[in-house]
Amino acid sequence: MAAGQLQVKEWMKGYLGAGAPDYDAGFISGIETSAFFVHEMLIKIDDVDKFVSDPDHEALMDGTITFGAFGSGPRPVTGASFKVFADSKTPGLKYMKYRMPITTDKGQPMTVYGHKTIHNDRSLDLWGDTTTLYTSIYAGNLTAPEPPTNVQPTHRGVIHVEKLDLIKSLMTFRSPGSTPAESQHAMSTFGRFFLGNLWEIYGKLARVGT
């Protein structure tokens, strides 16, 4: 395996409603219809130095999604992508973007798109921004990095990283195939990248508040 590789697991849970006009309505509809959505993803960065220098900051993901519309039990996900702190071209605004292809138990290809909106809106809402994924599902195996604008999703809703799952996630950071020095380099490089981006977005507000 490549030196500087980094892996971490992520668990997110929430509700998605069929035919919902927006994310919040889908979340409420999903609760009312017990349409519970869970994803368990292994995020894989093959080369942390390349990842940090890449403007898209894109990693690959494999894992499972459990959602009644896809069939009973967890369904496998392979070839998914995750972009961290994708630039929006607007100061103080970045995104975390997900694209997860999946096949239902009836053989129908679907694609799950999601985004976390990381922004400074004059309140210290870092926790909510970094743990809330606005999620939509489209029919077909869509390879475009962004969801289509001319097609309505089958489902919309909101999923979250719960606090206990975040603690569990932090314990799964690994640098497989690396020497101790390479592992330390991968962890510290990613840590500086992640915390540096958070400071860039929220740090000015924190300094003004103090």
Side-chain angles (χ1 to χ4, degrees):
M1 294 185 180
Q5 188 178 65
L6 195 63
Q7 296 183 357
V8 61
K9 284 189 176 182
E10 180 186 67
W11 292 265
M12 300 196 75
K13 303 168 183 175
Y15 293 90
L16 276 66
D22 56 54
Y23 297 110
D24 290 338
F27 181 74
I28 294 170
S29 173
I31 293 174
E32 292 174 343
T33 57
S34 300
F36 191 50
F37 182 103
V38 180
H39 90 212
E40 178 179 340
M41 291 292 145
L42 178 65
I43 300 170
K44 301 180 292 184
I45 301 172
D46 287 336
D47 186 320
V48 173
D49 290 327
K50 183 178 179 180
F51 169 84
V52 169
S53 63
D54 177 5
D56 284 337
H57 309 302
E58 185 171 7
L60 299 179
M61 298 189 301
D62 294 323
T64 62
I65 291 175
T66 304
F67 187 52
F70 296 155
S72 60
R75 301 294 302 167
V77 175
T78 58
S81 62
F82 175 41
K83 294 183 179 182
V84 186
F85 296 120
D87 194 353
S88 70
K89 308 302 181 184
T90 300
L93 173 64
K94 294 189 178 183
Y95 295 103
M96 296 185 185
K97 297 184 178 182
Y98 294 64
R99 186 189 63 82
M100 298 176 283
I102 192 167
T103 302
T104 71
D105 61 352
K106 296 180 180 179
Q108 181 181 9
M110 309 289 287
T111 305
V112 180
Y113 284 96
H115 70 272
K116 298 176 182 176
T117 304
I118 314 299
H119 63 120
N120 177 348
D121 59 359
R122 301 295 178 182
S123 63
L124 291 174
D125 55 356
L126 183 153
W127 169 258
D129 286 353
T130 56
T131 60
T132 301
L133 187 70
Y134 299 95
T135 307
S136 55
I137 302 172
Y138 293 82
N141 182 11
L142 307 182
T143 59
E146 304 289 342
T149 58
N150 60 342
V151 177
Q152 288 297 312
T154 63
H155 298 75
R156 282 192 181 104
V158 185
I159 64 176
H160 300 89
V161 178
E162 298 180 353
K163 290 182 179 179
L164 290 179
D165 284 334
L166 176 62
I167 295 171
K168 183 168 65 171
S169 180
L170 292 173
M171 296 175 65
T172 67
F173 270 99
R174 298 287 186 274
S175 184
S178 301
T179 66
E182 290 168 343
S183 177
Q184 177 63 33
H185 172 76
M187 297 285 189
S188 61
T189 299
F190 180 82
R192 286 193 301 270
F193 161 77
F194 195 88
L195 295 176
N197 273 275
L198 292 181
W199 179 255
E200 178 185 338
I201 297 168
Y202 298 101
K204 182 181 293 186
L205 179 60
R207 292 194 295 274
V208 171
T210 57

